[in-house]
Amino acid sequence: MSRLTIRQPDDWHLHLRDGSMLRSVLPSTSETFARAIVMPNLVPPVVTAKDAAAYKDRILAAIPEEHGFTPLMTLYLTEDTDADDLAHAYTSGLVTAVKLYPAGATTNSNSGVRNIENVIPVLERMAEIGMPLLVHGEVTTHEVDIFDREAVFIDTILDPLRRRIPSLRVVMEHITTKQGVDYAKSGDDNLAATITTHHLILNRNHLLVGGIRPDYYCLPIVKSEDHRLALREAATSGSPKFFLGTDSAPHTEANKICACGCAGIFTAINTMSCLAHVFAEEGALDKLEAFTSLNGPAFYGMAPNENTIDLVKSDDPIKFPRQIWSEDGPVTVFDPGFELFWKVEK
Ligand code: NCD
Ligand code: ZN
């Protein structure tokens, strides 16, 4: 197969940042994707409906005229979140979901939740109104090894929470482990999981063997090969539980390629080419549309996009830029480690 037509994809987990970085990175997404769930981990974070409305306006102002794109806004859950403000933001259509960051789990997560008990009333309210909770599923406990943090979170936080509030709709964001895949599969229709492009491609050898690759450092950290294979199986299975959230997370090279580099990989620009490559390798190109364009909208109760895109396999490798420019400095583009041949045509 050398041409595949699919409904226009959506990205169910994306970092767009703000200011000049927003203007630099947004076109890479809006060129191909119709909608994206926009992460709220700005500094300071997007906590209130008012914050979300202002951020949405800044995003809308940055969309290139020729692109049609709808940002789906999220609120950053804190222990002080006002349930009425959050519920109103959802019922009015301003906001699509709420993001739970355990405090300290990742980039700009210091205002996150320290003790889940303190947000139970807000989560109960969300369950009542059907508002999804998007979970960064890693514990931050010092004693827990970074490679085990997702599995421990599932056992000690997520599963007890879901038993306590079974009607809460939950998306396990950017799962990276076999345990994440199995847990998502075991849940009812209130549970789904996103998978990133880079976790389908990288294992921890890519990050660490032959020299450290700061451009492959992200959170949750890439795991061993058996976990990568479990993620590929899940993503290419067609199961409605799994859909694309790129977690494309730009940082300037100065902040990333240094002694204490930030977590986050910028994949927005070549994600669809990478995914077509992965799905073709798995003999599952017929499942790509479910993963990128159908399962996400179905979980969120939205219609899939009407427009389509074509993925066309060329004979020669496609040249993506090595980095994109921003006023704050260059941002490294994800290097999958192999040539890409699938090109998006609209
Ligand atoms: C994200 C970022 O840079 O904001 N980084 C990352 O490694 N994924 C935060 C996040 O989603 O964990
Ligand atoms: Zn993220």
Side-chain angles (χ1 to χ4, degrees), residues 9-46:
D10 303 304
D11 186 347
W12 300 95
H13 180 133
L14 175 67
H15 297 269
L16 284 175
R17 312 303 190 201
D18 209 347
S20 61
M21 185 62 89
L22 165 64
R23 290 189 291 277
S24 292
V25 299
L26 175 58
S28 293
T29 290
S30 59
E31 193 178 4
T32 307
F33 294 85
R35 298 171 286 202
I37 285 274
V38 181
M39 286 296 120
N41 64 332
L42 305 180
V43 190
V46 179

Side-chain angles (χ1 to χ4, degrees), residues 13-15 39 41 99 101 106 136 173-174 219 247-249:
H13 180 133
L14 175 67
H15 297 269
M39 286 296 120
N41 64 332
K99 178 72 189 234
Y101 286 107
T106 187
H136 183 112
E173 300 274 275
H174 44 52
L219 289 171
D247 198 13
S248 182

Side-chain angles (χ1 to χ4, degrees), residues 13 15 17 39 41 99 101 105-109 136 138 173-174 196 198-199 217-221 246-251 256 262-265:
H13 180 133
H15 297 269
R17 312 303 190 201
M39 286 296 120
N41 64 332
K99 178 72 189 234
Y101 286 107
T106 187
T107 311
N108 306 336
S109 63
H136 183 112
E138 288 190 288
E173 300 274 275
H174 44 52
T196 77
H198 48 282
H199 286 101
Y217 175 57
C218 64
L219 289 171
I221 197 156
T246 65
D247 198 13
S248 182
H251 293 277
K256 188 147 180 65
C262 293
I265 304 179

